[in-house]
Amino acid sequence: MLLDLRARADYEWRYSTSPAISRLHMLVDETARTAGRAVLISTPSADLRVAVTGLSSGIRAMTSFLKQQLSAEGSAAVVTELPLSGRAAFAGDLDEADITVLCDTGRRIARHPKEGGLVLPGWVHQVVPTQGNKRLHKSDRQRFAKQRRENGWTLEVAQREEDFEFFFTRMHSPMVANRFGDYAISEDRRAARVALFRRGILFFLLEHGERVGGMLCRVDARSKVLYYRLNGLLDGDHRLRKSGALVAISYFLVEWARENRLHGVDLSGSIPFFSRGVYQAKRRLHPNVVLADVPMRHLRYRLAIKRDTNAVRDFLVANPLLRLDGSTAGAMEGVYFTDSRRPLRADLRSGVEQDRIVDLDETPPQLLGTIGVPKPC
């Protein structure tokens, strides 16, 4: 019982949308010291080195993303920890790094504009409105209806403890292991059971009557939004993902939320780089991209380039990002990079209203903090 209460309290601290908890998170982070360490992530060949510093809550998420991006076929990225002190702990001013990423509160980063670089949101969410959503085109709905008939897809709402065990053991855990391996970040079984399942809703996608996918969600009573928390596919089978099973669950849940008079479906959060496949897959439902709720709404990253190298340019072009434009609270813009040798990633969509292109031949990476007038993509 005590362990269950502790797991529930820990989950509520991390995910509650309560205004009081939000203010407490901000107060804690505003008064917290930075971690006093840098995590240095390098490619296997050491031609690109990225240092992540600042608040521990942001280091973990950014490090997981960078470990994936900097790994090569058959070789994992190299991760080392460096102790820091004084100003270096704040600025991330490390000679070892080609790129530094600082995580701190927006207020503290704003006090030091001379540090340069780009300011990114700490975490973003994609939310599908259930009412008056004109972005979900008729052709999208027709395509889903056709797949639904052909695959015999139906939706099941499950409530038994054994249903949760089936989902967590046969779907969620193997999918996370197969897709992300050592880079995975998820909930442990106890927290998922006591804080999510017992206070949330478990959905299964059935294919001709057989459970092939699942989604564990919670409904926020304040906002009337259905939040994705954990998903999974039977035995982590990548063929089910390629067949569109996860997208099918999303379509079903948007319908379910609309029928139950909820205002939206939150497809969960992401680091502010939109090169990730999971981010792009969610674009098929045409969600709005918004700043995350607590605990990361007030957090920001400052990305600064220390050296202009081929590897740095390769990374920037391959990973366009979301930047806070500084004009309106919460307003974001997508930033694509290119140069004479590297075409921009036109296959990726930011999901925000305004994008800009940065030509790295015109604006060297070290001067990204000075980028000016947007260019339409």
Side-chain angles (χ1 to χ4, degrees):
M1 175 66 79
L2 181 59
L3 291 177
D4 285 356
L5 290 174
R6 183 179 299 172
R8 184 178 298 164
D10 176 69
Y11 181 89
E12 293 300 332
W13 167 249
R14 288 183 289 120
Y15 292 110
S16 173
T17 59
S18 162
I21 292 181
S22 178
R23 288 191 295 270
L24 187 56
H25 267 290
M26 183 176 295
L27 177 63
V28 169
D29 287 335
E30 286 284 350
T31 57
R33 295 173 62 94
T34 53
R37 64 186 174 94
V39 178
L40 188 68
I41 307 101
S42 306
T43 56
S45 61
D47 60 343
L48 178 61
R49 294 163 298 182
V50 184
V52 185
T53 68
L55 295 173
S56 297
S57 52
I59 289 178
R60 182 187 182 202
M62 182 61 72
T63 298
S64 177
F65 167 75
L66 291 171
K67 284 167 65 177
Q68 294 180 63
Q69 300 306 113
L70 272 60
S71 294
E73 189 68 32
S75 300
V78 179
V79 180
T80 56
E81 289 200 7
L82 304 174
L84 298 173
S85 61
R87 185 168 177 77
F90 179 85
D93 189 13
L94 294 168
D95 292 338
E96 296 92 336
D98 304 302
I99 301 173
T100 62
V101 182
L102 167 70
C103 178
D104 210 328
T105 67
R107 291 179 181 177
R108 294 207 298 205
I109 282 183
R111 294 176 194 146
H112 299 268
K114 60 184 177 182
E115 298 293 340
L118 298 178
V119 177
L120 320 181
W123 199 251
V124 296
H125 278 229
Q126 299 191 69
V127 182
V128 181
T130 58
Q131 307 298 327
N133 184 3
K134 297 180 180 179
R135 294 185 178 184
L136 199 57
H137 302 302
K138 182 179 180 180
S139 59
D140 296 320
R141 295 193 296 269
Q142 290 176 336
R143 186 182 306 111
F144 170 63
K146 181 174 182 292
Q147 291 178 313
R148 184 176 182 170
R149 291 192 301 271
E150 292 175 348
N151 293 286
W153 283 335
T154 54
L155 187 69
E156 174 191 358
V157 180
Q159 299 177 327
R160 300 174 303 171
E161 290 280 337
E162 52 264 42
D163 296 327
F164 167 78
E165 291 298 331
F166 179 85
F167 165 77
F168 199 88
T169 304
R170 293 289 307 279
M171 293 183 172
H172 177 68
S173 295
M175 190 186 80
V176 169
N178 290 350
R179 289 193 66 187
F180 303 108
D182 294 338
Y183 312 128
I185 298 177
S186 187
E187 296 292 337
D188 66 27
R189 185 189 299 266
R190 183 182 297 275
R193 184 178 65 251
V194 302
L196 283 174
F197 174 70
R198 292 179 183 172
R199 295 192 167 198
I201 308 172
L202 175 59
F203 299 94
F204 284 113
L205 175 71
L206 276 60
E207 185 170 301
H208 301 296
E210 179 187 3
R211 292 172 172 176
V212 296
M215 188 77 71
L216 186 53
C217 305
R218 280 189 65 167
V219 173
D220 183 74
R222 295 179 182 84
S223 61
K224 292 189 176 180
V225 170
L226 180 73
Y227 281 83
Y228 284 14
R229 288 308 184 206
L230 302 178
N231 61 12
L233 295 172
L234 185 62
D235 298 327
D237 192 339
H238 72 279
R239 292 172 297 181
L240 290 170
R241 181 166 56 88
K242 290 186 175 181
S243 74
L246 288 177
V247 176
I249 296 175
S250 296
Y251 274 103
F252 272 116
L253 295 194
V254 171
E255 288 183 357
W256 185 91
R258 183 185 301 114
E259 291 169 358
N260 285 271
R261 299 185 178 182
L262 299 180
H263 295 163
V265 177
D266 188 312
L267 307 180
S268 78
S270 170
I271 206 79
F273 291 86
F274 53 91
S275 53
R276 299 183 66 200
V278 66
Y279 186 101
Q280 290 300 312
K282 294 172 184 176
R283 299 306 316 150
R284 295 175 63 177
L285 279 84
H286 308 283
N288 298 322
V289 180
V290 299
L291 287 178
D293 293 321
V294 293
M296 298 190 74
R297 184 176 182 85
H298 60 286
L299 297 185
R300 303 289 182 264
Y301 291 110
R302 176 184 283 114
L303 183 145
I305 309 300
K306 301 301 181 182
R307 298 182 183 89
D308 184 359
T309 68
N310 283 328
V312 166
R313 291 192 176 208
D314 289 343
F315 174 81
L316 291 174
V317 173
N319 296 285
L321 52 85
L322 295 169
R323 175 205 186 197
L324 290 169
D325 67 6
S327 61
T328 307
M332 289 177 279
E333 61 182 7
V335 182
Y336 295 79
F337 301 97
T338 185
D339 65 16
S340 59
R341 295 173 50 199
R342 300 169 178 85
L344 64 85
R345 293 290 305 274
D347 59 312
L348 302 177
R349 293 292 177 266
S350 68
V352 296
E353 292 186 1
Q354 181 166 278
D355 294 324
R356 73 167 70 206
I357 300 172
V358 176
D359 188 326
L360 297 173
D361 292 330
E362 297 176 3
T363 306
Q366 300 98 315
L367 301 179
L368 288 182
T370 68
I371 59 177
V373 179
K375 298 179 181 179
C377 289

